[in-house]
Amino acid sequence: MANRRMRTRADKIIDGIIVTVVFLVVIICVAPLFNILALSFSGRVAINAGRVTFFPVDFTLEPWKALIMTQSIFSSMTFTIILTVTFTTLAMALTICVAYPLTKKKLHGRNAIQVIFFFTMYFGGGIIPEYILMKTLGLTNTMWVLVFPGVISIFNMIILKSFFLSLPDSLQEAALIDGANHLQILMRIVLPLSMPVLATLSLFYAVGRWNGFQDALIYITDPKISPIQLKLYQIINSVADAEIMKNEGIVALGESELTGDNIRSACILFATAPILVIYPFLQRHFIAGMTLGAVKE
Amino acid sequence: MLKRNSCALRKTAGIGLAVLALLIVGAVPVWAQSRKTLTVELFDRGNLKPGAEPVDSNLWTRYIQQEFGDKYGYDVKFVLVPRSREVDQLNILMASGSAPDICFTYDRGVIQNYIKQGGVLDLEAAFDKYGAELKAFLGDDVLQWGRFSGKLYSIPARRVTLTNQGTLIRKDWLDKLGMKPPTNKAEFYQAIKAFKDKDPGNIGKDKIVPYKLATYDYQQLADSFITYSKITHREYRTMSWGFLSPSLSRPGYIEGMRFLNKMYHDGLISLDFFLDKEGKLAKEQIINGRVGAFTCNVGVNFDLFKEMKLNVPSAEYITVDCFEDDRGLTAKSSNSRAGLQIIVPKYSKNVEGVIKYLNWMSDPKVIFYLQNGIEGVHHTMENGLPIMIDTEAAKKDFYSGNNVDLSIIANGKFIKDDATSLRAEAKRFPGYENLFITLYGNSLKNNNPVLPPFETPLLNEAKYSGILNTKWSEWLVRMVQAAPADFDNVYAAGMKEQLDAGEKAIMDEKLQVYAKEFPMMKGTEHYMSVK
Amino acid sequence: MSQMASTKPSSPTFRRTGFGIVLKEIRNDWILYALLAIPFVWILVFKYFPMYGLIMAFQDYNMFQGVFASPLIGLENFKEMFSMQDFFRVLRNTLMLNFMDLIVGFPAPLILAILLTELRSMAYKRLSQSILYFPHFLSWVIIGGLALQIFAPSGMINNFLATFGIDKVPFLTEKNHWLITYILIGVWQNAGWGTIIYLAAIAGINEELYDAAAIDGAGRFGRIWHITIPSIRSTIIILLILSLGRIVSIGFDRPFVFQNPFVLEYGEVISTYVYKIGMQYARYSLSTAVGLFQSLINIILLVTAEYFTRKAGERGIW
């Protein structure tokens, strides 16, 4: 946005400072990434001896080979993608369904409905009643147990509602006078104007689902439908587990060149990659929102 | 279902296609009804090897179905529980009425809690009827841990090798300093002090880890300060004892803590194991030849010696047994023979099936197959000991640990008898078999008697032991890190806090139970006088 | 439909009260109610139905009898809760950690978002954004492992300091150092991701406002201060109220991963405590009571924050 304006000398200095500060922050964020990357290509002896920092030591492809050879990783990835897309679509649809009516101040019962939704942000029944419910509904060990319980985030709903409220009323009122109904207004006016926030919330929902596994840990025991993060969690835990097993008198059979660290590093990169790949496509909508800004009065 | 039917059909030869069709169309439901489903808890350790079959459906589960299920008329189904949150998940399954017929856990407090709430079935009748072989396999010293208020609420697994602790010290460093292996605490202290001061390995003074501790590994040393010569039978029975329930109230224990405090301020020990939850740091230090001495469960860290030798070819550990008490004996607390505990939830309809299943498993052939697989495919025999075959194909079948998880009546690999099992266990560490066996022998030397449990369920123990265990590490840190001048105050404060947080309640309850269960004792007799 | 829309309920010709009018208005807005229908059923089934579990807080809950058959014991669980020394420590820690997160962690994404929008090179901006998000994708378990490698007494930083003969810094083993480490790692993990919401809000700002400001001679900081911040003020306030309303609740993973016996004095918080007494020690009644207490305090704080926001003339979250 600043591109069109003339740049003064002071401007250039400030730009330089900003670029540097952002660069430093980026470096701090990226350092562990390099560590993880280096670990995923390093050998067991070097890792156990603590010699790996930012570059691979005793270069090996074993962890990645092992990862790729684990067929369940790919089916798990496919499942997680399907799950995330389903979840995000439903979640966005339902969140819009709640947020939009609640922006209408004259809606009867609006306050009561708000309180009803809001209350659940703080109060829940606890794990046992929830488990019994899922079991009774026959949802355990299905994809839907990972979809339904969290499909509306009240937090996201509030963000969306407040964005809707910040849109100018005049367009909607004009449409109402022209005879459009609420659904038409929502679809043709409100949503197109809300692209940045819709993209943001979709990202929130998608990433939340992608990264979440606590619910899967409880509700999913079928390895065929275990999300990628659950797999990742198990791989991480099997390292600590090796210690437990010794105490339980169990032989930890089959030592290989792999170690918990390098295989888990490979898993992290593998599991995070899809979201980082998808992000630029969503980013387009942030920019689309920018140009739409001009439509506003 | 279809596959299993046709399989059964093949056995009863001479049945034609028409009958098969009839069976599938008409008789399947009847057939299915006549078979019961037996559900069994199984740990999911999430450590499946690439290309391996699922944990709950593989070579071993098919074997169980064929050899037990089909012969006894059960469909055996496994219910997976993630190992790392085993207790959490078991609690949820129990409370929601969906726990499998066979449940198990290592946590005795959890079991006492279920019993208290009336959620566990008494197995006595079925056990008497169907459990003869199982009884012989486990023995009374194991089974007594399954009795609560005289009822057999639980069947404990048999611990094959007792996971006691022993101490190892660097022989090459001792030799270099011209020191003999320590035979008592004072010499041990001198040895590790000399390691620190003189750096016999030339690795740099700041890199030396004179005495490496891990979570519970200070206990043998600390326990040796207890005044065993004076302890009464009542004290021995009613104060918290044993491996996992440390207690400040044991007479003499304060001196053990003071000794740790001194070692800490001398820079001989560190408490960094509290940060090192996966034991990574400890491994790294041993592998790099930086550790002078360590105490550990027998066999732990032995797998690191090979790599250590690559880094420091001269490094060598020997075992010592030098933490003497006031009687001059190297006393140790030890584990009982009972391992994980199997229970059957009250809404299970399959108590008989449970006992039949466990009884079937106690056949040495079955246990051997489940733990060692097929000769020539998974293992070869050498002097009567199975040596596991180390090929990728064999490893695919034995994803680590799972097989012992299936053979739930034995904690550890059981071969013929305890002595043979121990020799087989030692085979895991080629080149260190003797070290392993000596260490194991040391760890059992001068053991304090393992106490049979009280018959009465200890409700307060179930209620408070979790909280106390969590707080224990906090108290330990405070005592060990306290300024020496301040130590007595810190100790007293910790003691008071521990008593308030539930230990007093536990001890009072135990005193009552003691009076009830040992009416013939005055309580003031020496602890060794009666079991 | 169009004739319905023309009878605007807010039109002054209608009476303000009367049942018939209300019904008519509801009929007019039927689409809005239809939209709410499915979420409403959802919230009843998945959120309200399991709430019977809250009764456990007033029971001596027996897992095998269930909520409906366990004996009621009134406020006994709450009495026990208040009699526990640990409880107040845990409450204090939760407040302390959240409050510090709020002070240090809340402005960080805002500042970062403004810096990012001020970048001239689009390519650089996009690349930076993508990298800044990365820490958000690491689970706390993994971050805990990394932190250990870096901050432990024999970790990367301390080894580095040692080569200059500087004493070890107990980042993770002394409670005050730990507190700072804990908070800064939180900022590290969240700041990048937190920019997204602000960037979306900033993207919605009308660019003409900036041009107008430029014509008025506003400098770089002037434009940020007079255009950017006021334009996204409602977003900032909403996020602030929401975080204030959660000041007594706290995520589980982060404190759980970072706590250790050296720092439990500060590190034990409500979520980890509830987990320990509830899930690990199976004392469901007590843990439900603690959870319920926490929810009540939160909702009181939230309503208070909302009240003051409105009093200050801002739009709250209702």
Side-chain angles (χ1 to χ4, degrees), chain A residues 69-84:
Chain A
M69 271 180 62
T70 311
Q71 286 160 346
S72 65
I73 280 281
F74 289 99
S75 62
S76 176
M77 187 63 111
T78 320
F79 170 75
T80 316
I81 290 170
I82 295 170
L83 168 70
T84 307

mmCIF file with all atom_site columns, all heavy atoms in Angstrom, chain A residues 69-84:
data_model
loop_
_atom_site.group_PDB
_atom_site.id
_atom_site.type_symbol
_atom_site.label_atom_id
_atom_site.label_alt_id
_atom_site.label_comp_id
_atom_site.label_asym_id
_atom_site.label_entity_id
_atom_site.label_seq_id
_atom_site.pdbx_PDB_ins_code
_atom_site.Cartn_x
_atom_site.Cartn_y
_atom_site.Cartn_z
_atom_site.occupancy
_atom_site.B_iso_or_equiv
_atom_site.pdbx_formal_charge
_atom_site.auth_seq_id
_atom_site.auth_comp_id
_atom_site.auth_asym_id
_atom_site.auth_atom_id
_atom_site.pdbx_PDB_model_num
ATOM 1   N N   . MET A 1 69 ? 8.338   -46.003 4.010  1.00 0.00 ? 69 MET A N   1
ATOM 2   C CA  . MET A 1 69 ? 7.963   -47.415 3.999  1.00 0.00 ? 69 MET A CA  1
ATOM 3   C C   . MET A 1 69 ? 6.764   -47.719 4.887  1.00 0.00 ? 69 MET A C   1
ATOM 4   O O   . MET A 1 69 ? 6.099   -48.727 4.722  1.00 0.00 ? 69 MET A O   1
ATOM 5   C CB  . MET A 1 69 ? 9.153   -48.272 4.442  1.00 0.00 ? 69 MET A CB  1
ATOM 6   C CG  . MET A 1 69 ? 10.046  -48.686 3.287  1.00 0.00 ? 69 MET A CG  1
ATOM 7   S SD  . MET A 1 69 ? 11.395  -49.683 3.888  1.00 0.00 ? 69 MET A SD  1
ATOM 8   C CE  . MET A 1 69 ? 10.512  -51.091 4.572  1.00 0.00 ? 69 MET A CE  1
ATOM 9   N N   . THR A 1 70 ? 6.519   -46.859 5.856  1.00 0.00 ? 70 THR A N   1
ATOM 10  C CA  . THR A 1 70 ? 5.351   -47.059 6.700  1.00 0.00 ? 70 THR A CA  1
ATOM 11  C C   . THR A 1 70 ? 4.118   -46.709 5.896  1.00 0.00 ? 70 THR A C   1
ATOM 12  O O   . THR A 1 70 ? 3.767   -45.548 5.755  1.00 0.00 ? 70 THR A O   1
ATOM 13  C CB  . THR A 1 70 ? 5.424   -46.169 7.942  1.00 0.00 ? 70 THR A CB  1
ATOM 14  O OG1 . THR A 1 70 ? 6.702   -46.310 8.520  1.00 0.00 ? 70 THR A OG1 1
ATOM 15  C CG2 . THR A 1 70 ? 4.370   -46.544 8.952  1.00 0.00 ? 70 THR A CG2 1
ATOM 16  N N   . GLN A 1 71 ? 3.474   -47.731 5.358  1.00 0.00 ? 71 GLN A N   1
ATOM 17  C CA  . GLN A 1 71 ? 2.338   -47.458 4.485  1.00 0.00 ? 71 GLN A CA  1
ATOM 18  C C   . GLN A 1 71 ? 1.245   -46.720 5.219  1.00 0.00 ? 71 GLN A C   1
ATOM 19  O O   . GLN A 1 71 ? 0.561   -45.876 4.668  1.00 0.00 ? 71 GLN A O   1
ATOM 20  C CB  . GLN A 1 71 ? 1.789   -48.773 3.925  1.00 0.00 ? 71 GLN A CB  1
ATOM 21  C CG  . GLN A 1 71 ? 2.690   -49.340 2.857  1.00 0.00 ? 71 GLN A CG  1
ATOM 22  C CD  . GLN A 1 71 ? 2.452   -50.804 2.643  1.00 0.00 ? 71 GLN A CD  1
ATOM 23  O OE1 . GLN A 1 71 ? 1.797   -51.463 3.449  1.00 0.00 ? 71 GLN A OE1 1
ATOM 24  N NE2 . GLN A 1 71 ? 2.989   -51.306 1.559  1.00 0.00 ? 71 GLN A NE2 1
ATOM 25  N N   . SER A 1 72 ? 1.100   -47.041 6.495  1.00 0.00 ? 72 SER A N   1
ATOM 26  C CA  . SER A 1 72 ? -0.001  -46.427 7.239  1.00 0.00 ? 72 SER A CA  1
ATOM 27  C C   . SER A 1 72 ? 0.163   -44.915 7.309  1.00 0.00 ? 72 SER A C   1
ATOM 28  O O   . SER A 1 72 ? -0.791  -44.192 7.505  1.00 0.00 ? 72 SER A O   1
ATOM 29  C CB  . SER A 1 72 ? -0.087  -47.025 8.633  1.00 0.00 ? 72 SER A CB  1
ATOM 30  O OG  . SER A 1 72 ? 1.065   -46.701 9.356  1.00 0.00 ? 72 SER A OG  1
ATOM 31  N N   . ILE A 1 73 ? 1.381   -44.417 7.133  1.00 0.00 ? 73 ILE A N   1
ATOM 32  C CA  . ILE A 1 73 ? 1.594   -42.973 7.172  1.00 0.00 ? 73 ILE A CA  1
ATOM 33  C C   . ILE A 1 73 ? 0.846   -42.297 6.024  1.00 0.00 ? 73 ILE A C   1
ATOM 34  O O   . ILE A 1 73 ? 0.209   -41.272 6.201  1.00 0.00 ? 73 ILE A O   1
ATOM 35  C CB  . ILE A 1 73 ? 3.109   -42.646 7.100  1.00 0.00 ? 73 ILE A CB  1
ATOM 36  C CG1 . ILE A 1 73 ? 3.749   -42.814 8.464  1.00 0.00 ? 73 ILE A CG1 1
ATOM 37  C CG2 . ILE A 1 73 ? 3.358   -41.252 6.573  1.00 0.00 ? 73 ILE A CG2 1
ATOM 38  C CD1 . ILE A 1 73 ? 3.531   -41.674 9.408  1.00 0.00 ? 73 ILE A CD1 1
ATOM 39  N N   . PHE A 1 74 ? 0.895   -42.930 4.856  1.00 0.00 ? 74 PHE A N   1
ATOM 40  C CA  . PHE A 1 74 ? 0.223   -42.304 3.719  1.00 0.00 ? 74 PHE A CA  1
ATOM 41  C C   . PHE A 1 74 ? -1.287  -42.407 3.833  1.00 0.00 ? 74 PHE A C   1
ATOM 42  O O   . PHE A 1 74 ? -2.005  -41.456 3.528  1.00 0.00 ? 74 PHE A O   1
ATOM 43  C CB  . PHE A 1 74 ? 0.724   -42.917 2.405  1.00 0.00 ? 74 PHE A CB  1
ATOM 44  C CG  . PHE A 1 74 ? 2.121   -42.500 2.089  1.00 0.00 ? 74 PHE A CG  1
ATOM 45  C CD1 . PHE A 1 74 ? 3.181   -43.339 2.370  1.00 0.00 ? 74 PHE A CD1 1
ATOM 46  C CD2 . PHE A 1 74 ? 2.378   -41.253 1.563  1.00 0.00 ? 74 PHE A CD2 1
ATOM 47  C CE1 . PHE A 1 74 ? 4.484   -42.946 2.105  1.00 0.00 ? 74 PHE A CE1 1
ATOM 48  C CE2 . PHE A 1 74 ? 3.674   -40.846 1.301  1.00 0.00 ? 74 PHE A CE2 1
ATOM 49  C CZ  . PHE A 1 74 ? 4.725   -41.694 1.575  1.00 0.00 ? 74 PHE A CZ  1
ATOM 50  N N   . SER A 1 75 ? -1.770  -43.575 4.275  1.00 0.00 ? 75 SER A N   1
ATOM 51  C CA  . SER A 1 75 ? -3.227  -43.685 4.425  1.00 0.00 ? 75 SER A CA  1
ATOM 52  C C   . SER A 1 75 ? -3.682  -42.735 5.519  1.00 0.00 ? 75 SER A C   1
ATOM 53  O O   . SER A 1 75 ? -4.740  -42.129 5.438  1.00 0.00 ? 75 SER A O   1
ATOM 54  C CB  . SER A 1 75 ? -3.626  -45.130 4.742  1.00 0.00 ? 75 SER A CB  1
ATOM 55  O OG  . SER A 1 75 ? -3.055  -45.521 5.963  1.00 0.00 ? 75 SER A OG  1
ATOM 56  N N   . SER A 1 76 ? -2.838  -42.586 6.545  1.00 0.00 ? 76 SER A N   1
ATOM 57  C CA  . SER A 1 76 ? -3.166  -41.679 7.626  1.00 0.00 ? 76 SER A CA  1
ATOM 58  C C   . SER A 1 76 ? -3.198  -40.244 7.114  1.00 0.00 ? 76 SER A C   1
ATOM 59  O O   . SER A 1 76 ? -4.062  -39.453 7.485  1.00 0.00 ? 76 SER A O   1
ATOM 60  C CB  . SER A 1 76 ? -2.117  -41.845 8.720  1.00 0.00 ? 76 SER A CB  1
ATOM 61  O OG  . SER A 1 76 ? -2.317  -40.942 9.735  1.00 0.00 ? 76 SER A OG  1
ATOM 62  N N   . MET A 1 77 ? -2.273  -39.924 6.238  1.00 0.00 ? 77 MET A N   1
ATOM 63  C CA  . MET A 1 77 ? -2.230  -38.591 5.653  1.00 0.00 ? 77 MET A CA  1
ATOM 64  C C   . MET A 1 77 ? -3.483  -38.334 4.819  1.00 0.00 ? 77 MET A C   1
ATOM 65  O O   . MET A 1 77 ? -4.124  -37.286 4.947  1.00 0.00 ? 77 MET A O   1
ATOM 66  C CB  . MET A 1 77 ? -0.967  -38.475 4.789  1.00 0.00 ? 77 MET A CB  1
ATOM 67  C CG  . MET A 1 77 ? -0.688  -37.105 4.231  1.00 0.00 ? 77 MET A CG  1
ATOM 68  S SD  . MET A 1 77 ? -0.385  -35.892 5.501  1.00 0.00 ? 77 MET A SD  1
ATOM 69  C CE  . MET A 1 77 ? 1.338   -35.550 5.290  1.00 0.00 ? 77 MET A CE  1
ATOM 70  N N   . THR A 1 78 ? -3.849  -39.320 3.986  1.00 0.00 ? 78 THR A N   1
ATOM 71  C CA  . THR A 1 78 ? -5.054  -39.180 3.180  1.00 0.00 ? 78 THR A CA  1
ATOM 72  C C   . THR A 1 78 ? -6.274  -38.980 4.072  1.00 0.00 ? 78 THR A C   1
ATOM 73  O O   . THR A 1 78 ? -7.088  -38.082 3.849  1.00 0.00 ? 78 THR A O   1
ATOM 74  C CB  . THR A 1 78 ? -5.273  -40.453 2.334  1.00 0.00 ? 78 THR A CB  1
ATOM 75  O OG1 . THR A 1 78 ? -4.012  -40.883 1.845  1.00 0.00 ? 78 THR A OG1 1
ATOM 76  C CG2 . THR A 1 78 ? -6.217  -40.185 1.188  1.00 0.00 ? 78 THR A CG2 1
ATOM 77  N N   . PHE A 1 79 ? -6.349  -39.813 5.099  1.00 0.00 ? 79 PHE A N   1
ATOM 78  C CA  . PHE A 1 79 ? -7.481  -39.697 6.014  1.00 0.00 ? 79 PHE A CA  1
ATOM 79  C C   . PHE A 1 79 ? -7.515  -38.310 6.651  1.00 0.00 ? 79 PHE A C   1
ATOM 80  O O   . PHE A 1 79 ? -8.569  -37.689 6.745  1.00 0.00 ? 79 PHE A O   1
ATOM 81  C CB  . PHE A 1 79 ? -7.392  -40.770 7.107  1.00 0.00 ? 79 PHE A CB  1
ATOM 82  C CG  . PHE A 1 79 ? -8.385  -40.561 8.214  1.00 0.00 ? 79 PHE A CG  1
ATOM 83  C CD1 . PHE A 1 79 ? -9.727  -40.850 8.027  1.00 0.00 ? 79 PHE A CD1 1
ATOM 84  C CD2 . PHE A 1 79 ? -7.978  -40.047 9.441  1.00 0.00 ? 79 PHE A CD2 1
ATOM 85  C CE1 . PHE A 1 79 ? -10.646 -40.634 9.041  1.00 0.00 ? 79 PHE A CE1 1
ATOM 86  C CE2 . PHE A 1 79 ? -8.885  -39.832 10.452 1.00 0.00 ? 79 PHE A CE2 1
ATOM 87  C CZ  . PHE A 1 79 ? -10.220 -40.133 10.253 1.00 0.00 ? 79 PHE A CZ  1
ATOM 88  N N   . THR A 1 80 ? -6.354  -37.831 7.078  1.00 0.00 ? 80 THR A N   1
ATOM 89  C CA  . THR A 1 80 ? -6.315  -36.539 7.756  1.00 0.00 ? 80 THR A CA  1
ATOM 90  C C   . THR A 1 80 ? -6.717  -35.414 6.813  1.00 0.00 ? 80 THR A C   1
ATOM 91  O O   . THR A 1 80 ? -7.374  -34.457 7.219  1.00 0.00 ? 80 THR A O   1
ATOM 92  C CB  . THR A 1 80 ? -4.916  -36.268 8.338  1.00 0.00 ? 80 THR A CB  1
ATOM 93  O OG1 . THR A 1 80 ? -4.458  -37.455 8.960  1.00 0.00 ? 80 THR A OG1 1
ATOM 94  C CG2 . THR A 1 80 ? -4.953  -35.165 9.358  1.00 0.00 ? 80 THR A CG2 1
ATOM 95  N N   . ILE A 1 81 ? -6.346  -35.538 5.541  1.00 0.00 ? 81 ILE A N   1
ATOM 96  C CA  . ILE A 1 81 ? -6.737  -34.508 4.574  1.00 0.00 ? 81 ILE A CA  1
ATOM 97  C C   . ILE A 1 81 ? -8.259  -34.516 4.401  1.00 0.00 ? 81 ILE A C   1
ATOM 98  O O   . ILE A 1 81 ? -8.913  -33.471 4.480  1.00 0.00 ? 81 ILE A O   1
ATOM 99  C CB  . ILE A 1 81 ? -6.021  -34.726 3.218  1.00 0.00 ? 81 ILE A CB  1
ATOM 100 C CG1 . ILE A 1 81 ? -4.524  -34.413 3.375  1.00 0.00 ? 81 ILE A CG1 1
ATOM 101 C CG2 . ILE A 1 81 ? -6.624  -33.842 2.137  1.00 0.00 ? 81 ILE A CG2 1
ATOM 102 C CD1 . ILE A 1 81 ? -3.675  -34.822 2.202  1.00 0.00 ? 81 ILE A CD1 1
ATOM 103 N N   . ILE A 1 82 ? -8.824  -35.697 4.201  1.00 0.00 ? 82 ILE A N   1
ATOM 104 C CA  . ILE A 1 82 ? -10.279 -35.793 4.054  1.00 0.00 ? 82 ILE A CA  1
ATOM 105 C C   . ILE A 1 82 ? -10.964 -35.230 5.298  1.00 0.00 ? 82 ILE A C   1
ATOM 106 O O   . ILE A 1 82 ? -11.905 -34.437 5.231  1.00 0.00 ? 82 ILE A O   1
ATOM 107 C CB  . ILE A 1 82 ? -10.708 -37.266 3.821  1.00 0.00 ? 82 ILE A CB  1
ATOM 108 C CG1 . ILE A 1 82 ? -10.141 -37.755 2.494  1.00 0.00 ? 82 ILE A CG1 1
ATOM 109 C CG2 . ILE A 1 82 ? -12.223 -37.394 3.842  1.00 0.00 ? 82 ILE A CG2 1
ATOM 110 C CD1 . ILE A 1 82 ? -10.289 -39.239 2.279  1.00 0.00 ? 82 ILE A CD1 1
ATOM 111 N N   . LEU A 1 83 ? -10.455 -35.652 6.448  1.00 0.00 ? 83 LEU A N   1
ATOM 112 C CA  . LEU A 1 83 ? -11.030 -35.193 7.714  1.00 0.00 ? 83 LEU A CA  1
ATOM 113 C C   . LEU A 1 83 ? -10.971 -33.674 7.814  1.00 0.00 ? 83 LEU A C   1
ATOM 114 O O   . LEU A 1 83 ? -11.963 -33.018 8.154  1.00 0.00 ? 83 LEU A O   1
ATOM 115 C CB  . LEU A 1 83 ? -10.246 -35.829 8.871  1.00 0.00 ? 83 LEU A CB  1
ATOM 116 C CG  . LEU A 1 83 ? -10.515 -35.255 10.272 1.00 0.00 ? 83 LEU A CG  1
ATOM 117 C CD1 . LEU A 1 83 ? -11.905 -35.641 10.737 1.00 0.00 ? 83 LEU A CD1 1
ATOM 118 C CD2 . LEU A 1 83 ? -9.474  -35.751 11.267 1.00 0.00 ? 83 LEU A CD2 1
ATOM 119 N N   . THR A 1 84 ? -9.812  -33.110 7.504  1.00 0.00 ? 84 THR A N   1
ATOM 120 C CA  . THR A 1 84 ? -9.634  -31.671 7.672  1.00 0.00 ? 84 THR A CA  1
ATOM 121 C C   . THR A 1 84 ? -10.544 -30.890 6.722  1.00 0.00 ? 84 THR A C   1
ATOM 122 O O   . THR A 1 84 ? -11.163 -29.900 7.119  1.00 0.00 ? 84 THR A O   1
ATOM 123 C CB  . THR A 1 84 ? -8.165  -31.279 7.439  1.00 0.00 ? 84 THR A CB  1
ATOM 124 O OG1 . THR A 1 84 ? -7.356  -32.089 8.285  1.00 0.00 ? 84 THR A OG1 1
ATOM 125 C CG2 . THR A 1 84 ? -7.914  -29.838 7.768  1.00 0.00 ? 84 THR A CG2 1
#
